Amino acid sequence: MNNYLIVASIIFCIGALGVIVRKNLIVVFMSLELMFNAANLGFVAVSNRLNLISGDIFVIFVIVVAAAEAAIALGIAIAFYREKGTVDIDKANELKN
Amino acid sequence: MEALFYVFSFIAIFSALMVVTMRNPLTSALYLVLCFFALAGFYVILDMQFLAAMQILVYAGAIMVLVVLVIMLLNISRIKNIGSDLHQKIIGGLISLILFAEVVLYIINGAQKKPTGIFTRALIKKIGNTQIIGEFLFTEYMLPFEIASILLFVAIIGAYLFAKKKY
């Protein structure tokens, strides 16, 4: 189980790196999906090790939430692009200036 | 099984790195699909074939089609080369390295819990993982299941409102 958890944490940290470093809104969204998937892998590995089923059920709910989040996030991306003409998240600075 | 695990973990980590480092968002999207397939392979190794099918259908199918469609709708030449600053890279790398070290220390030093549930691999294989998940979804997890349907409905309305011309 430890091997699975370490792979999951590597993928999670790569996703976190992408969320922090990248400026492209769509790539940030895809890195978020990576983090979701790493968490899912952790859930499945742990519930397999402990002979439980609740982790697997939870993965299904995570997938549902990820689907809802994808629809909303891409709607925001389209609205942002229409407003600014780009998807660079540094251009979202109305509250700062 | 062991060899398959290493193959899948290599593919998953490599494609995850590619998702983060590629300049073109479309390339990142295709590498993300590869990563989802590798994770589905992990689920098959862990005897959860239903979750592997869900992963491929919902993530690699529906969500990534949506992402590729949005990349197509936007002007690709204007969203292709959005680089990041050096200080951003340094801070991001440091934060994710610290996070990784923390998680790995926790995994290695944490106490291993003994298996408590009744769903061993043999039992899951005997009943079938799809049937077990279905029974649990419609009995013990009935309320979250219904709330998930409401969430999806709200998400449809929200996506429509966001993508509308005037709001």
Side-chain angles (χ1 to χ4, degrees):
Chain A
M1 183 186 74
N2 273 356
N3 291 347
Y4 286 98
L5 285 182
I6 286 175
V7 170
S9 62
I10 290 173
I11 297 175
F12 187 88
C13 293
I14 292 173
L17 179 71
V19 170
I20 298 169
V21 170
R22 294 304 299 263
K23 282 187 189 169
N24 193 327
L25 185 54
I26 295 170
V27 180
V28 169
F29 165 72
M30 285 193 277
S31 306
L32 265 179
E33 294 291 324
L34 269 182
M35 290 166 80
F36 269 120
N37 273 282
N40 280 354
L41 180 59
F43 273 126
V44 176
V46 170
S47 80
N48 185 282
R49 169 75 167 70
L50 298 182
N51 295 338
L52 294 170
I53 210 77
S54 33
D56 305 310
I57 305 283
F58 205 84
V59 168
I60 290 178
F61 290 119
V62 171
I63 289 177
V64 170
V65 172
E69 178 245 355
I72 298 290
L74 295 171
I76 290 176
I78 288 179
F80 186 71
Y81 183 81
R82 197 174 283 139
E83 192 80 14
K84 301 279 181 189
T86 178
V87 285
D88 187 347
I89 51 175
D90 273 8
K91 296 282 184 296
N93 53 4
E94 276 88 5
L95 292 180
K96 191 172 146 198
N97 301 328
Chain B
M1 280 305 170
E2 199 76 346
L4 269 181
F5 169 78
Y6 287 114
V7 170
F8 282 136
S9 53
F10 174 74
I11 296 174
I13 293 169
F14 171 75
S15 52
L17 270 178
M18 283 298 162
V19 169
V20 174
T21 50
M22 283 287 130
R23 272 292 166 92
N24 191 338
L26 191 59
T27 323
S28 306
L30 296 179
Y31 272 113
L32 191 55
V33 173
L34 184 61
C35 188
F36 288 159
F37 270 90
L39 287 165
F42 280 130
Y43 297 159
V44 172
I45 297 178
L46 290 168
D47 281 325
M48 273 292 151
Q49 287 87 356
F50 179 73
L51 287 184
M54 279 294 109
Q55 171 91 359
I56 290 175
L57 283 177
V58 178
Y59 266 116
I63 293 180
M64 291 322 290
V65 165
L66 202 60
V67 170
V68 173
L69 196 77
V70 167
I71 293 174
M72 187 195 78
L73 278 177
L74 309 181
N75 190 348
I76 186 110
S77 62
R78 295 183 73 175
I79 65 173
K80 210 172 181 174
N81 289 314
I82 301 175
S84 40
D85 306 334
L86 186 63
H87 71 271
Q88 211 174 1
K89 280 178 187 162
I90 294 171
I91 294 172
L94 268 180
I95 289 177
S96 65
L97 268 183
I98 292 170
L99 189 66
F100 179 64
E102 206 174 336
V103 173
V104 167
L105 275 181
Y106 190 73
I107 289 171
I108 291 173
N109 294 331
Q112 293 275 338
K113 213 177 157 196
K114 288 272 171 291
T116 49
I118 56 158
F119 291 98
T120 55
R121 276 186 176 219
L123 185 67
I124 290 176
K125 268 198 178 134
K126 196 171 140 244
I127 305 177
N129 61 83
T130 314
Q131 188 176 342
I132 293 178
I133 288 176
E135 275 172 12
F136 267 83
L137 267 185
F138 285 106
T139 52
E140 207 176 323
Y141 295 91
M142 190 73 197
L143 187 64
F145 186 74
E146 298 295 338
I147 293 173
S149 68
I150 297 173
L151 176 73
L152 281 175
F153 181 62
V154 173
I156 293 170
I157 298 172
Y160 169 71
L161 281 179
F162 268 122
K164 224 167 56 166
K165 280 261 184 290
K166 287 275 172 211
Y167 46 84

